[in-house]
Amino acid sequence: MSNHNDTEGASDAGGSRPPSHRRDLRASLLLGLVCLLVYNANLRSISAGDTYPARYLPFGIWRYGSVLLDPIADITAQGRPYRPTQPFWMVPGRGGHLIALYPVVLPVLVAPLYLPAAVYLHLRGWTEQRLDRSARIMEKLTASLLAAAATALLYLLLRRRAEPRIALLLTLAFAFGTTTWVISSQALWQHGLAELLVVGALLLVTGPCTARRALAAGTLIGLIACNRPPDAVLAAALGLYAWWWAGRLAPLLAAGAVLPAGMVLAYNLAAAGNVAGGYGVAGNATFFQHDMLYGLAGLLFSPTRGLFVFSPFLLFLPCFWQRTLHDRGARRLTLVLSAAVVLQVMLYAKADFRTGASWGPRWLTDLLPLLLWLLPPIVAALGGVGRAVFVLATCTAIAIQAVGAFWYTSASDVPIFAAVTDAARMRAAWDPHNAPFLAELRHPPAPRELLVEVSGNLDSIKTGGRDVEAVTAGQKIAVEGWALTGHRSPRQAEVLLDGQPAASTSHFFTRPDVVSARGEASPAGWRISLRTDGLAPGEHLLSAFAQISADGEQHYLAQRRFTVLAPAASGRPLARQDAAPPGAGRRLDYELTASVRRAAAALRERQQAAGYWLTSYTREPRFTDPGREMNTYLTAMLVDLLEPIGTAVGLGENLQRARRHLTAQIEAGGLVRYHGRPDEPTISTLGCTITPDADDTALVWRIAPSDRRTLLPAALATLARFRTGDGLYRTWLAARDGYQCIDPGKDPNPADAGIQMHVLLLLAQADPPAARTLCGALGRAIGEERIWVYYQAAPLVPILRQADLRRAGCSLSLPAARLRTKVPGQEVWVAACRLLQRFMSPRSPAPSPAETRALLWTLADGEFSYLRLSPPLLYHNDLTASTPRFYWSEDFGYALWLRLYHENAHRS
């Protein structure tokens, strides 16, 4: 069994440490500190979309206890819409959840370092801009710490086979003459952690083997493969050598490797439903389909990405590789690692060697610790001239990397990827004029903006001076907001439409409200006009960014969604009423009136004889192959929505019948069950005997109360018994062992946000002090992921309840993420609910008649064909339960349409 000792002596495993070892430790710590200072000297980060999940996910872990991106999706997307190819760093996982394309090893392992920043945000408030700024700073600090730690440990590793001067030279070459500086230390790429893991594994397997070291080595080797799957080649080589190194302790080594691998596999299956995790979901069959020889040449020698161009001192390795075998004690490890390097380079040669927008040979960064470990025998054997050439090559590499650290802004990547054809792009990658360390020097050093505070907002989307949620295709919109960078106006404000640059402005004007609120006199207001020609009907995303300086990064401010409505009614184009032919307006009004009759008739026909309406449910968030059930919830919601207009649309008798049905569901203890009383004829065919719940109890008592008023106090007392310590009300009104017909999720009895709203509306009538207490508790918890259980992917009911809550004396501001949908086809229903809320809120500007009519036409076209294909998604079960269910209602769509039509007619 090999044991590679310090050239100046090494202690036994249990002996005292010699002075040389203590000197090495001090030198190692000093090197790490110097690296940390140098890596942060540029006061900026050099990142890309690849690093965004790792940048923000640690905050999601601390605040929401989740490795899913759902709670932090907006900030992680950085203004891009959630679509299959955009943003590429986020992919849909199981149950419609968003997950990172990349493995979660890196953000999970660095999450403890984020604790101080998480505490800061907890004390100051979790605003998106404060989170974004904290995340940028933490990403840079964390990345630089990982790279500095890898450098410090590499010095200790090299001292095991080199004298101090050679070890120091090679360590400095690694730290400042390779992409360790411009890639690993600048942002949370996977490469920084990979380097640290590789160095750590080498440090263990080149020392004495003990049980703890074998277990630790196995863990690090397992993490190498889990952190970056292509590094499985490196992990296999290290594992092969470590198996021989561990000897009889090899089972401990294997156990250490299995532990992280098992955990990552469990995450991949649970979150992504694929053993390969996000990579498996995204898929890319053509990724490794490039020509290997061409790729080898590009990876090693191209002026824009070549390893030997950016770090020329590494050329000594292939030129004098045979000298690495002179160290007989390390010959076995040398052969294994050399084979791993060759295989890894060949693997990446099958991919596009340009590696996307980044500095230098990014993909080969993980190999650097192996290459540096192989170099000591070569450097030691060099003569005076040879060593001088090596030092000169190292200084050249450091100069090249310094250009990257202080000048690189991605400008040099533009000509490489801007060419029209693939052949032209490849030629551009070989053009010496495009070498980044030359091209980037054509502009001033990159601005040092990391600590500048950027603030602002996207306030409104307007047409004709009115704030709107929906526009007809072809209309012009004005996007308005404000922005400040520090205490100054930004260089530029830019708006992205569906993730693509749409327009920008460098003109800023004084906003009195910003001056008053923030005390900043600099002009902050901006306004950008856009046309909606060519936009497809449906929901679209506008995102606002501010830029501090000409070569600086774009800083995310805010985003807002709006709906584009098709300029058609029954297939006939009609972009604007004033553009219609003579008599068109009257004809369309007539057809809308006909749609009113059609919607009311559908509600009458679909109501069951007993007074209820049936609910559809599916197992996926799409309306395909639905089942049917009877529940008290939908009937109560329909009565509540239609009550103000029931008589006007001829549904008065239907609503009375529905109320009688609901009242009959109140049981002897005053409680109500989701599927109704256990003795209902629909039990076992359209439902089951289920545990009473707070939601339906509150809805029925408010909408269709029983004449037996003694039952209400009993119901309220039961509700109070299931109140949480923070003042919220749990869902199920029974102990866990008394549950019936329930498939519980992670929290078997959650306090859901929508349920709190319905309970609060009942308490506002029956117990106002309790309502005020609940309002305060709900306001404190409204932004927490844990209370969004049944409406996590279904925002319609929470949107509709905002005006009801205000009338009940509880003005509640819902998080922006809870006011939109990721379910395809639901955007128009979100727009309809938002329009109705504006009608119902006296303090909000009413929607324009044209805006509302356009949406009504979109839904009524083709005899409500849209509604039948994609009805409103009202709620879902706990998505952490074993069987997901999503609940839809065509009847609710008809009712919502009728209510919106009459509110618009009344205001008009």
Side-chain angles (χ1 to χ4, degrees):
M1 193 176 299
S2 176
N3 181 10
H4 313 294
N5 292 321
D6 190 308
T7 55
E8 294 188 17
S11 64
D12 295 334
S16 59
R17 292 178 174 177
S20 63
H21 190 77
R22 290 194 293 271
R23 284 196 302 272
D24 289 342
L25 283 176
R26 288 195 297 270
S28 170
L29 291 173
L30 182 60
L31 277 169
L33 180 59
V34 169
C35 287
L36 198 60
L37 293 174
V38 173
Y39 291 158
N40 288 282
N42 57 358
L43 284 178
R44 69 187 186 106
S45 63
I46 305 174
S47 63
D50 307 58
T51 74
Y52 291 167
R55 175 193 293 180
Y56 299 106
L57 195 51
F59 287 107
I61 293 171
W62 277 112
R63 189 178 188 193
Y64 302 105
S66 173
V67 290
L68 302 175
L69 294 179
D70 295 354
I72 54 171
D74 287 348
I75 194 71
T76 307
Q78 287 286 289
R80 279 76 172 178
Y82 315 134
R83 292 177 179 170
T85 59
Q86 189 185 31
F88 66 85
W89 54 88
M90 300 165 66
V91 294
R94 293 185 63 183
H97 294 290
L98 288 169
I99 62 173
L101 169 65
Y102 308 102
V104 295
V105 172
L106 172 58
V108 169
L109 289 183
V110 303
L113 300 176
Y114 276 60
L115 177 58
V119 172
Y120 162 78
L121 288 174
H122 177 74
L123 296 175
R124 291 292 308 277
W126 289 78
T127 66
E128 278 198 338
Q129 286 165 16
R130 195 171 288 137
L131 168 60
D132 192 44
R133 181 167 181 252
S134 299
R136 289 172 185 266
I137 294 172
M138 284 305 303
E139 179 184 27
K140 175 62 180 286
L141 289 176
T142 304
S144 61
L145 183 62
L146 293 177
T151 301
L153 293 180
L154 180 69
Y155 177 77
L156 296 179
L157 175 67
L158 294 176
R159 281 291 289 118
R160 289 184 171 172
R161 62 188 321 220
E163 62 180 20
R165 285 183 300 174
I166 292 177
L168 179 60
L169 173 62
L170 293 178
T171 303
L172 292 175
F174 169 81
F176 304 119
T178 68
T179 47
T180 300
W181 188 356
V182 188
I183 297 294
S184 297
S185 77
Q186 299 299 302
L188 285 176
W189 305 86
Q190 298 158 298
H191 308 291
L193 179 61
E195 287 187 298
L196 180 59
L197 293 172
V198 170
V199 172
L202 283 171
L203 201 58
L204 287 170
V205 301
T206 54
C209 182
T210 64
R212 283 189 298 180
R213 289 186 178 187
L215 186 63
T219 302
L220 294 183
I221 291 170
L223 284 171
I224 290 170
C226 294
N227 171 63
R228 186 167 173 80
D231 288 348
V233 175
L234 311 185
L238 287 167
L240 180 65
Y241 177 81
W243 190 267
W244 170 81
W245 165 78
R248 60 183 180 81
L249 297 176
L252 280 176
L253 179 85
V258 165
L259 178 62
M263 295 176 69
V264 170
L265 179 61
Y267 161 82
N268 288 346
L269 293 175
N274 189 294
V275 293
Y279 287 142
V281 173
N284 189 347
T286 64
F287 190 81
F288 289 111
Q289 297 298 316
H290 293 257
D291 180 79
M292 180 182 290
L293 291 179
Y294 190 81
L296 282 171
L299 282 173
L300 300 177
F301 297 104
S302 70
T304 57
R305 294 293 187 266
L307 176 69
F308 297 137
V309 174
F310 281 76
S311 300
F313 68 90
L314 290 175
L315 266 172
F316 281 75
L317 190 55
C319 292
F320 302 101
W321 178 81
Q322 71 278 6
R323 294 183 182 178
T324 63
L325 301 178
H326 293 177
D327 184 353
R328 295 188 177 183
R331 184 172 293 176
R332 185 175 305 201
L333 182 57
T334 296
L335 291 173
V336 170
L337 296 186
S338 299
V341 168
V342 172
L343 290 174
Q344 183 85 316
V345 173
M346 291 174 64
L347 174 68
Y348 281 129
K350 290 288 292 177
D352 185 345
F353 73 84
R354 295 170 300 164
T355 72
S358 64
W359 179 263
R362 176 172 65 85
W363 282 347
L364 303 185
T365 303
D366 306 11
L367 291 173
L368 293 173
L370 306 187
L371 300 179
L372 270 295
W373 186 86
L374 292 170
L375 274 172
I378 295 175
V379 177
L382 292 174
V385 174
R387 192 165 295 191
V389 173
F390 186 88
V391 171
L392 179 62
T394 299
C395 292
T396 302
I398 292 173
I400 288 173
Q401 300 300 326
V403 172
F406 292 96
W407 269 268
Y408 176 63
T409 62
S410 295
S412 56
D413 294 317
V414 174
I416 299 174
F417 295 100
V420 176
T421 65
D422 288 340
R425 294 189 195 104
M426 289 301 180
R427 285 196 299 272
W430 283 94
D431 187 344
H433 292 90
N434 294 333
F437 45 85
L438 299 178
E440 297 287 350
L441 289 174
R442 296 166 192 157
H443 59 73
R448 305 166 75 180
E449 301 175 344
L450 188 63
L451 301 181
V452 177
E453 181 180 4
V454 179
S455 55
N457 195 26
L458 193 166
D459 293 328
S460 62
I461 302 170
K462 294 182 176 180
T463 59
R466 289 174 174 265
D467 195 359
V468 298
E469 304 285 350
V471 299
T472 302
Q475 283 186 298
K476 190 175 182 179
I477 60 174
V479 186
E480 299 182 358
W482 66 274
L484 287 169
T485 53
H487 302 286
R488 300 183 304 164
S489 303
R491 174 189 176 273
Q492 176 179 279
E494 182 175 18
V495 168
L496 271 60
L497 176 59
D498 294 333
Q500 300 299 320
S504 62
T505 182
S506 298
H507 173 69
F508 296 88
F509 52 88
T510 301
R511 281 272 300 261
D513 56 334
V514 176
V515 174
S516 174
R518 299 178 61 89
E520 300 287 358
S522 298
W526 53 265
R527 184 181 297 111
I528 295 174
S529 295
L530 300 173
R531 293 201 62 85
T532 58
D533 305 81
L535 292 182
E539 189 176 75
H540 294 269
L541 178 67
L542 282 171
S543 311
F545 291 79
Q547 189 178 31
I548 300 175
S549 57
D551 295 318
E553 286 188 280
Q554 294 278 31
H555 291 258
Y556 172 76
L557 297 177
Q559 64 186 38
R560 184 164 172 173
R561 285 173 167 80
F562 70 104
T563 301
V564 171
L565 305 173
S570 301
R572 291 184 295 278
L574 187 65
R576 295 187 303 275
Q577 194 66 50
D578 57 12
R586 289 191 296 275
R587 184 178 68 247
L588 296 177
D589 284 338
Y590 174 81
E591 292 181 9
L592 272 181
T593 304
S595 297
V596 172
R597 294 193 295 270
R598 189 174 294 116
L603 286 167
R604 283 193 294 271
E605 293 167 5
R606 295 165 63 87
Q607 187 180 27
Q608 305 299 303
Y612 57 82
W613 284 270
L614 293 175
T615 303
S616 302
Y617 63 86
T618 63
R619 297 188 64 172
E620 296 180 357
R622 55 183 179 178
F623 193 64
T624 55
D625 193 24
R628 299 284 189 271
E629 71 171 27
M630 190 287 291
N631 60 65
T632 56
Y633 178 90
L634 174 63
T635 302
M637 292 293 295
L638 287 173
V639 173
D640 207 25
L641 185 59
L642 290 168
E643 172 62 27
I645 63 168
T647 302
V649 296
L651 292 172
E653 190 278 329
N654 300 84
L655 297 184
Q656 288 296 331
R657 188 150 41 103
R659 286 193 195 89
R660 289 194 294 271
H661 166 76
L662 291 173
T663 303
Q665 307 312 309
I666 300 175
E667 300 183 22
L671 305 182
V672 179
R673 302 172 193 256
Y674 175 75
H675 288 303
R677 298 172 64 96
D679 56 357
E680 282 285 302
T682 53
I683 296 297
S684 78
T685 57
L686 293 172
C688 59
T689 301
I690 194 171
T691 305
D693 66 273
D695 203 24
D696 294 290
T697 297
L699 278 167
V700 171
W701 269 108
R702 184 174 61 84
I703 294 166
S706 171
D707 292 335
R708 296 177 293 170
R709 303 301 296 179
T710 56
L711 296 181
L712 181 56
L716 295 176
T718 303
L719 284 170
R721 286 203 302 273
F722 287 89
R723 192 164 54 184
T724 66
D726 54 0
L728 303 179
Y729 291 78
R730 296 194 181 276
T731 302
W732 306 109
L733 304 178
R736 177 69 176 85
D737 56 6
Y739 283 5
Q740 296 175 281
C741 190
I742 297 175
D743 178 16
K746 181 173 63 175
D747 183 349
N749 201 359
D752 174 77
I755 292 178
Q756 308 312 304
M757 297 177 186
H758 292 149
V759 172
L760 192 150
L761 293 176
L762 171 64
L763 293 176
Q765 297 177 356
D767 189 350
R772 289 192 292 271
T773 301
L774 176 55
C775 179
L778 183 56
R780 290 188 293 272
I782 197 66
E784 298 181 22
E785 179 76 9
R786 65 183 176 92
I787 71 168
W788 292 94
V789 181
Y790 306 121
Y791 300 96
Q792 184 182 113
L796 303 187
V797 173
I799 290 173
L800 287 175
R801 286 302 178 212
Q802 291 179 94
D804 298 325
L805 291 172
R806 280 192 289 271
R807 285 195 296 272
C810 183
S811 294
L812 197 65
S813 179
L814 300 186
R818 304 304 173 189
L819 298 176
R820 48 184 175 261
T821 180
K822 301 172 190 173
V823 179
Q826 291 298 297
E827 302 91 348
V828 69
W829 296 114
V830 170
C833 288
R834 286 178 170 175
L835 289 176
L836 183 55
Q837 276 304 285
R838 288 166 59 188
F839 279 124
M840 296 167 63
S841 302
R843 289 179 292 179
S844 299
S848 68
E851 177 186 6
T852 309
R853 284 157 58 91
L855 188 143
L856 291 170
W857 277 119
T858 297
L859 292 174
D861 193 30
E863 298 186 358
F864 292 97
S865 60
Y866 188 97
L867 185 154
R868 295 191 298 274
L869 291 173
S870 183
L873 172 62
L874 294 184
Y875 56 100
H876 48 74
N877 71 337
D878 189 333
L879 295 180
T880 65
S882 60
T883 304
R885 277 198 173 183
F886 298 83
Y887 297 85
W888 320 71
S889 174
E890 294 178 52
D891 302 306
F892 192 87
Y894 286 121
L896 178 61
W897 190 93
L898 284 169
R899 181 70 181 275
L900 186 58
Y901 173 88
H902 276 268
E903 292 291 345
N904 187 55
H906 175 71
R907 294 294 178 94
S908 299

